[in-house]
Amino acid sequence: MKAEALFWQQCTQAVTDDGSIDAQRLMDLVIATYRVHESNYDEIERSVETLLRENDVLRGNISALSQAFDGQKKLFEIILNNLPLGLSVFDADQRLTLSNTRFRQLFDLTEEDVTAGATIADLTAKMHGTENATAEPGRRTGRRSSASARSSRLRRREWLMDDSPVIQSMVTILSDGSNISIHADVTEDRRAAERIAYLAHHDPLTGLPNRIHFREQVDATLTERRPDQQIALVHLNLDRFKSINNTMGVSAGDKILQQVTERIRASAGSENTLARILLKNAGVALSHAKADGRKRERFFASEMEAQMQLRHALEADLRAAMENEEFELHYQPLYDLSQRRICGFEALIRWNHPVRDRVPPMEFIPLAEEVGLIVDIGRWVLRRACNDAAQWPEGIKVAVNVSAIQFSSSDLTRDVAEALAAAGLSPSRLELEITESVLMENLSEVLPILHALKERGIRISMDDFGTGYSSLSYLSSFPFDKIKIDKSFVNDIVDNKEAHAIMHAIILLGDALGMRVTVEGVETAAQLALLECEECDEIQGYHISPPRPARDVADLLSMPPKNGGMMHLPEAKR
């Protein structure tokens, strides 16, 4: 109510019966009205203050939300534009609503090209490539029918770009006709898949068909051949190829295989099929050709298969030999020329077969390496040799040969430690002999093992020194305690000046490097005398003694110094 009307009403209420205004009455009415409105004014002021406080809080919340939104927006942009995959979103009218940096990079588009509202047709026209017609076709532009719009669909599209990359797009079409696409450069994946498919049918080194591909071609040829048409399979192998790998390295062997492949391919012509595969029967025939003197050809015969069966039987017997305790160790002396006494023995394994009598090591050691039994056999040799050596005088050492497979297929360091501990033998009395092939197998893997063994006080010797072209380089790779000169260098040192000169040079080399030198295969007094003049450290051979059973070691150690005559001990089986 307005103030004038309210005051007029109050004046009316204050009129007395005689028509005059009761001043006290009017004042009371005015004061009462004021008091009523005064409480209302207080409530209004309190409400206003509350609203102002809430407004401040709301303003703060809005500011915080705005900042959080800006942060989320920046984070979204960072994620979007740093995705390894391209992303694009098109609305139902097939106009671009969102894309990232990778999308532009994959399709070589500019920022102007991908502004919001650009159509798929516009973008496709600006891409430096074409869609692969063999891939699943993309969806057509325009809205879909209501039936197809009820669920999303997935499409795959593929693009061949002008600079050779292959871009694959996975398009998810939503129910309203819009779509979200993920784009990836699958060039390397495609090449890898093609490479895998190629390797599944080809030899990776020579590029020749492998067993699978070759079999397919043979089956197809047999199916298509005429009744009077003959087909020949020729199996070729390279003589002494293993020695190339052992002496010159695997990489050199690979290059030789590649060159041989090209020469055979050029000679064979397109009408013949080449493949790199060693077929069972052909391989058997090849083995016999080698055994008959090489440079020969052999046709497979049934008796060859019988010999292979004998080999399989030998393998079975070899597996049982460990359990049946058919192995024993013989020991050949190592003779110190300066002290004119036996300073140690080399442990040599012997197999006493229950039916075949004694099987030569050259027959069963390669077989044991091939079938993986050499690890168990080598572990047994280590234990037995250490046990036997523990019974000898303190200054007598024992030498044990170690195969390359023992480095790669067993914990050699642990095997040696356990053998020494079980026998109570000092590590300084054990000498491990390795050949150059051990280092060639995997130098980076073998060297740490050799260093670990040497740190424990075990002596390391290079056996058959000089038989490989890389022997000298390996002497600089590891500080060997000893080098053993192969017996092939000893045969002619008395009568052949060149052989004598080579022996002299190797002995000087060992001395210069601080390595003891042992010469193997010494069989005559003249050879011994010459090596004494050359100040060789040790010799080993039948002139000192052939390998003897462990029970003869004590008799060998009690013999007088060697003076050119043979030691008169009972002949042992060789």
Side-chain angles (χ1 to χ4, degrees), residues 130-149:
T130 56
E131 185 171 3
N132 187 358
T134 60
E136 181 182 351
R139 64 177 296 278
R140 296 180 179 178
T141 58
R143 297 182 182 274
R144 295 176 295 166
S145 65
S146 59
S148 63

Side-chain angles (χ1 to χ4, degrees), residues 446-467:
V446 169
L447 283 182
I449 299 175
L450 291 179
H451 281 291
L453 291 169
K454 188 165 184 178
E455 287 173 1
R456 297 187 179 188
I458 297 161
R459 299 172 59 83
I460 308 296
S461 171
M462 175 180 274
D463 198 9
D464 298 336
F465 180 80
T467 58

Side-chain angles (χ1 to χ4, degrees), residues 45 61 108 136 197:
E45 287 179 356
N61 290 340
D108 197 18
E136 181 182 351

